[in-house]
């Protein structure tokens, strides 16, 4: 997330010595200062104004997110459906990702090297970092809208969070209500990013749990950050969903119209399911490691040229999938939302070899994109986890529904490092069918987190610049 709430010092927020003396007197009387008492802070006038501001910001941020995602989906449909048909190709041929990804690299290179903010944060670093300023907003929007529809194997969640935080800070500036301190600015930016990402996660629940788990706080102090985020994301999700029904445009939320038939997990599902979760952790973390190496290579020198090279390399991976399977390259391209829905509706429509090819080719393309292009890391990782789980469902005793459920939970846990958020996401995506799968969902998340952390602990530390590596 964009940050957590801290307690700035008196020098940071401009408090006078008299205010400090007042706080000292409160402490001597046995009463904690208001700034250090979360219960009193929640009822303070300044915090209630901040809560109302977060609620108000959720509406315009949701509308901006709606048009952002709708435009992206419209362009995606034009590139992968309408344009091949207009050229007389019927559907996207096997070579289609080569020119589209090359074009994505050519568009993104000057955005990264010339515009403020470099088109947003590098997705291998996670969902986001510090809130972006309004000056960097144009670069983030251009990078996401113009390149993601061309087949970049990344999702829209990270750009949406950046846009949400920037719009929140811009709204505060437009209202001439500057937050009094850094902590308040962080809360406003985090509320904006939460409102934006909740629109594509099916509602405010997953986003709120993500804030709670990522903050690493406890007790009343957590509510200081969580309540504004809940207010903004709740209002935003309501507007986003209602506006989608009213206009009839695609809202692009991560959802499964159909899910595999529900079954009660038995011993075989746990016997094969937990090793499958470990395998998913290895695949996703290995692809993430490829992204880290790609990022070091692209940022070394010649960033613009190497960005284009990486985009073309990702296109080659997508083309390889089409050649190996005879299926559409669109299945391995883009964020994976559409393919995830197809797998849920017809999990037996892919052979095991096709699923293996999907995992290998998309993992390579995703890893390359993580370190060089711009977008979000979660959606493609979820597809990798589900495809791996369904490939393992051919094992005796492992059912389709448990494999699908553990794939979501394990992959999301590895890429976010947030097991509780990942379990909630899996439960919401599976709906009623998640009731019987919850024990496996939880254990898969725990297994995946432990395996990914074990791999990370064994990874060699990067050698600092100027120090000679003498290891053999």
């Amino acid at each position: 997330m964009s940050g957590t709430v801290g307690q700035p010092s008196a020098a940071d927020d401009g408090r006078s010595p008299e205010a400090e003396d007042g706080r000292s007197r409160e402490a001597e009387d046995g009463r904690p200062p208001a700034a250090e008492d979360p219960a009193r802070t929640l009822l303070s006038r300044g915090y209630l104004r901040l809560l109302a501001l977060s609620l108000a910001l959720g509406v315009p941020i949701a509308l901006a997110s709606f048009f952002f995602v709708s435009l992206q989906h419209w362009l995606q449909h034009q590139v992968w459906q309408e344009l091949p048909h207009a050229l007389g190709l019927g559907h996207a041929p096997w070579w289609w990702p080569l020119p589209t990804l090359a074009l994505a690299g050519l568009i993104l290179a000057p955005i990264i090297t010339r515009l403020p903010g470099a088109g947003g944060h590098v997705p291998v670093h996670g969902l986001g970092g510090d809130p972006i300023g309004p000056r960097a907003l144009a670069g983030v929007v251009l990078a996401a809208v113009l390149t993601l529809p061309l087949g970049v194997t990344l999702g829209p969640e990270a750009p949406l969070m950046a846009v949400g935080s920037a719009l929140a800070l811009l709204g505060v500036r437009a209202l001439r209500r500057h937050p009094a301190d850094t902590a308040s600015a962080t809360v406003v930016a985090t509320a904006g990013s939460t409102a934006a990402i909740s629109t594509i996660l099916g509602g405010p629940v997953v986003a709120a749990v993500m804030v709670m788990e990522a903050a690493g706080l406890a007790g009343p102090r957590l509510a200081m950050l969580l309540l504004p985020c809940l207010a903004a994301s709740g209002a935003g999700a309501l507007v986003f969903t209602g506006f989608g029904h009213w206009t009839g445009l695609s809202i692009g939320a991560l959802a499964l119209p159909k899910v595999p038939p529900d079954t009660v997990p038995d011993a075989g599902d746990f016997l094969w399911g937990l090793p499958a979760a470990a395998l998913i952790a290895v695949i996703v973390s290995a692809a993430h490691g490829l992204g880290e190496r790609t990022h070091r290579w692209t940022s070394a020198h010649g960033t613009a040229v190497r960005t284009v090279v990486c985009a073309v390399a990702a296109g080659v991976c997508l083309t390889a999938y089409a050649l190996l399977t005879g299926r559409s390259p669109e299945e391995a391209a883009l964020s994976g939302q559409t393919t995830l829905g197809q797998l849920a509706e017809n999990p037996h429509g892919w052979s095991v070899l096709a699923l293996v090819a999907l995992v290998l080719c998309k993992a390579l393309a995703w890893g390359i994109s993580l370190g060089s292009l711009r977008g979000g890391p979660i959606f493609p990782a979820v597809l990798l986890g589900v495809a791996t789980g369904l490939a393992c469902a051919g094992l005796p005793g492992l059912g389709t529904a448990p494999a699908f459920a553990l794939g979501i939970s394990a992959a999301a846990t590895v890429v976010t490092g947030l097991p509780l958020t990942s379990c909630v996401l899996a439960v919401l995506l599976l709906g009623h069918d998640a009731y019987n799968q919850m024990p496996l969902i939880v254990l898969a998340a725990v297994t995946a987190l432990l395996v990914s952390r074990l791999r990370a602990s064994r990874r060699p530390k990067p050698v600092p610049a100027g120090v000679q590596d003498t290891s053999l």
Side-chain angles (χ1 to χ4, degrees):
M1 306 302 289
S2 58
T4 57
V5 177
Q7 295 294 339
S9 63
D12 292 336
D13 61 11
R15 285 193 296 265
S16 64
E18 290 79 4
E20 292 299 308
D21 292 341
R23 296 177 65 212
S24 300
R25 285 193 296 271
E26 285 182 337
E28 291 173 358
D29 294 339
R31 294 181 290 117
E36 297 178 0
D37 185 356
R40 294 178 62 186
T41 301
L42 290 176
L43 298 177
S44 66
R45 182 178 300 177
Y47 183 80
L48 292 177
R49 284 199 301 264
L50 181 64
L51 193 60
L53 177 62
S54 301
L55 182 63
L57 287 174
V59 175
I61 289 174
L63 290 176
S65 301
F66 175 84
F67 289 109
F68 178 92
V69 176
S70 296
L71 176 60
Q72 178 193 321
H73 274 258
W74 181 82
L75 290 173
Q76 177 181 315
H77 180 75
Q78 298 300 311
V79 171
W80 292 90
Q81 303 294 331
E82 297 297 330
L83 185 56
H85 181 74
L87 296 175
L89 300 174
H91 57 82
W94 61 267
W95 49 265
W96 195 253
L98 295 176
T100 60
L101 267 296
L103 179 59
L106 292 172
I107 293 174
L108 185 61
I111 294 176
I112 293 177
T113 56
R114 302 288 180 86
L115 293 184
H121 86 293
V122 182
V124 76
H125 295 154
L127 276 178
D130 295 331
I132 67 168
R135 290 183 66 248
L137 182 58
V140 172
V141 172
L142 289 174
V145 171
L146 297 181
T147 65
L148 291 180
L150 294 173
V152 173
T153 51
L154 295 170
E157 62 274 13
L160 265 182
M161 293 180 67
V163 169
S165 65
L167 289 178
L169 295 177
L170 189 61
V172 172
R173 179 181 300 179
L175 293 173
R176 297 182 180 179
R177 294 178 179 273
H178 296 279
D181 50 43
T182 304
S184 298
T186 300
V187 171
V188 170
T190 304
S193 62
T194 308
I197 195 174
S198 69
T199 57
I200 58 170
L201 291 180
V205 175
V206 178
V209 174
M210 184 180 295
V211 171
M212 178 181 67
E213 195 170 11
L217 304 175
R221 185 166 295 179
L222 175 60
M224 295 168 59
L225 176 64
L226 188 58
L227 289 183
C229 295
L230 272 173
S233 60
L238 177 63
V239 172
F240 189 89
T241 305
F243 207 73
H245 287 302
W246 178 54
T247 61
L249 297 175
S250 173
I251 60 176
L254 184 61
L256 300 176
K258 295 185 179 180
V259 295
D262 188 23
T263 57
V264 178
D266 54 21
D269 293 313
F270 286 90
L271 178 65
W272 293 112
L274 298 185
L279 176 61
I280 292 169
V282 171
I283 293 173
V284 174
S285 58
H288 194 275
L290 173 61
E292 293 175 342
R293 291 189 291 272
T294 302
H295 176 56
R296 289 195 294 268
W297 184 74
T298 55
S299 59
H301 53 78
T303 301
V305 174
R306 295 190 176 192
T307 297
V308 177
V309 170
C310 288
V312 173
V316 171
C317 296
L318 304 179
T319 298
Y321 169 76
L323 290 174
L324 289 172
T325 62
R327 303 177 68 95
S328 171
E330 187 178 1
E331 294 175 350
L334 305 165
S335 66
Q337 290 172 259
T338 302
T339 306
L340 186 66
Q342 294 171 352
L343 286 172
E345 185 174 1
N346 185 19
H348 301 292
W350 276 256
S351 67
V352 173
L353 291 179
L355 289 171
V356 171
L358 176 62
V359 170
L360 293 179
C361 295
K362 191 171 184 69
L364 288 173
W366 179 60
I368 295 170
S369 300
L370 280 176
S372 57
L373 306 180
R374 296 296 183 268
I378 297 180
F379 288 9
V382 170
L383 176 59
L384 288 176
V386 168
T388 304
L390 291 179
C392 295
L395 296 169
L398 180 58
T400 301
F404 200 97
L406 71 88
I408 297 173
S409 177
T413 296
V414 176
V415 75
T416 63
L418 306 175
L420 178 59
T421 301
S422 303
C423 291
V424 173
L425 177 63
V427 169
L428 289 180
L429 284 177
L430 293 173
H432 294 295
D433 288 0
Y435 180 80
N436 290 323
Q437 311 300 330
M438 274 193 271
L440 189 56
I441 287 173
V442 172
L443 292 178
V446 173
T447 301
L449 183 65
L450 292 176
V451 171
S452 63
R453 294 289 170 84
L454 179 62
R455 282 181 51 84
S457 66
R458 293 182 175 180
R459 190 176 303 167
K461 303 295 182 183
V463 180
V467 178
Q468 183 177 3
D469 185 4
T470 58
S471 61
L472 297 175

